[in-house]
Amino acid sequence: MAHIPQGETSVLELLPFKTALEDAMQPSAQYDGNRWLYVPNHYSEYRYILGTRGKRPLICMGINPSTAAPDALDNTLKSVERIALHNGYDSFLMFNVYAQRATDPDAMERTCNPVLHRENLEAFRYLLSLNPQPDIWAAWGAIIEKRSYLAQCLLDQIRAGQDFHARWFTAGPISKKGHPHHPLYLRKDAALDPFDPEAYCRDILGQE
């Protein structure tokens, strides 16, 4: 089923990322915790991280989560996993510019919840810390145009990536407007190409 947000995330009692991560590290009766990293570790109105555990993960960055969960990946995340494995990674970690679940990006809240963004940024910094030089796949597509706050959220995440000397990549053709390709409908053998996130923010999004 599609996920339609029940309301503004500002009215929710959000789990801080560190608390949600501690919970996710505990054994789960719902899925194999040795295989999956799922934060929070239950289905909710927001999601910080969903992915598989490994020694060489590829961080894939989309715009916002939909309905996917451990052992119940949607077509987008199935594509993410296939392409990560094809390019030599042993796992994937799905992260999003904004953490609110919405199958239709038009249903995302109109204004940024600064608390949700702050905790999501903590989640991203955690992912970056898992490798000496993390690799990030820019995969948000033109959906970043749906809300004005998404560009600033992304810029904050790019700056965090600089602190960890992250390498950025894309897969598939860049759109006419300059956006990286969304994972859905990519070939399973799509190669990763270098991507300059600072130039993208400056030249495409107008963010310095």
Side-chain angles (χ1 to χ4, degrees):
M1 293 180 62
H3 186 99
I4 302 171
Q6 298 301 300
E8 299 292 312
T9 60
S10 59
V11 303
L12 300 176
E13 186 175 347
L14 298 174
L15 271 179
F17 171 70
K18 290 183 179 179
T19 302
L21 179 63
E22 289 173 0
D23 292 345
M25 294 301 183
Q26 302 303 312
S28 171
Q30 304 302 317
Y31 59 89
D32 181 0
N34 292 319
R35 168 170 167 74
W36 294 101
L37 179 61
Y38 186 40
V39 190
N41 64 349
H42 57 275
Y43 195 92
S44 65
E45 287 290 297
Y46 59 99
R47 191 187 76 210
Y48 297 126
I49 300 169
L50 172 60
T52 51
R53 299 181 187 272
K55 294 183 178 179
R56 188 168 183 257
L58 175 62
I59 302 169
C60 181
M61 186 183 289
I63 282 295
N64 74 295
S66 182
T67 60
D71 299 317
L73 299 183
D74 56 23
N75 289 334
T76 294
L77 267 71
K78 289 177 182 177
S79 180
V80 168
E81 184 172 36
R82 286 193 298 265
I83 292 170
L85 295 177
H86 172 76
N87 281 275
Y89 299 90
D90 66 356
S91 51
F92 78 95
L93 294 165
M94 190 70 208
F95 176 78
N96 290 280
V97 174
Y98 199 63
Q100 183 187 31
R101 281 193 197 260
T103 302
D104 181 355
D106 285 328
M108 281 191 293
E109 52 198 359
R110 294 288 175 179
T111 59
C112 178
N113 179 346
V115 176
L116 183 61
H117 173 53
R118 181 192 68 209
E119 297 303 324
N120 200 42
L121 190 56
E122 283 295 309
F124 187 51
R125 295 184 71 87
Y126 169 76
L127 293 183
L128 292 168
S129 75
L130 297 178
N131 262 346
Q133 186 175 51
D135 287 352
I136 306 168
W137 171 10
W140 49 79
I143 303 172
I144 198 166
E145 297 181 1
K146 291 290 183 178
R147 296 289 183 266
S148 60
Y149 59 80
L150 294 172
Q152 182 58 55
C153 291
L154 175 61
L155 185 59
D156 291 343
Q157 291 149 4
I158 288 171
R159 288 169 176 161
Q162 293 170 342
D163 294 339
F164 289 84
H165 308 289
R167 299 187 301 180
W168 290 75
F169 300 90
T170 59
I174 297 294
S175 76
K176 291 182 179 179
K177 290 188 175 182
H179 301 302
H181 202 290
H182 189 276
L184 198 58
Y185 307 126
L186 285 176
R187 292 170 54 96
K188 64 181 179 180
D189 60 352
L192 296 176
D193 300 310
F195 178 72
D196 185 340
E198 289 88 0
Y200 171 80
C201 276
R202 180 184 64 247
D203 300 339
I204 306 302
L205 300 182
Q207 300 286 316
E208 295 292 344

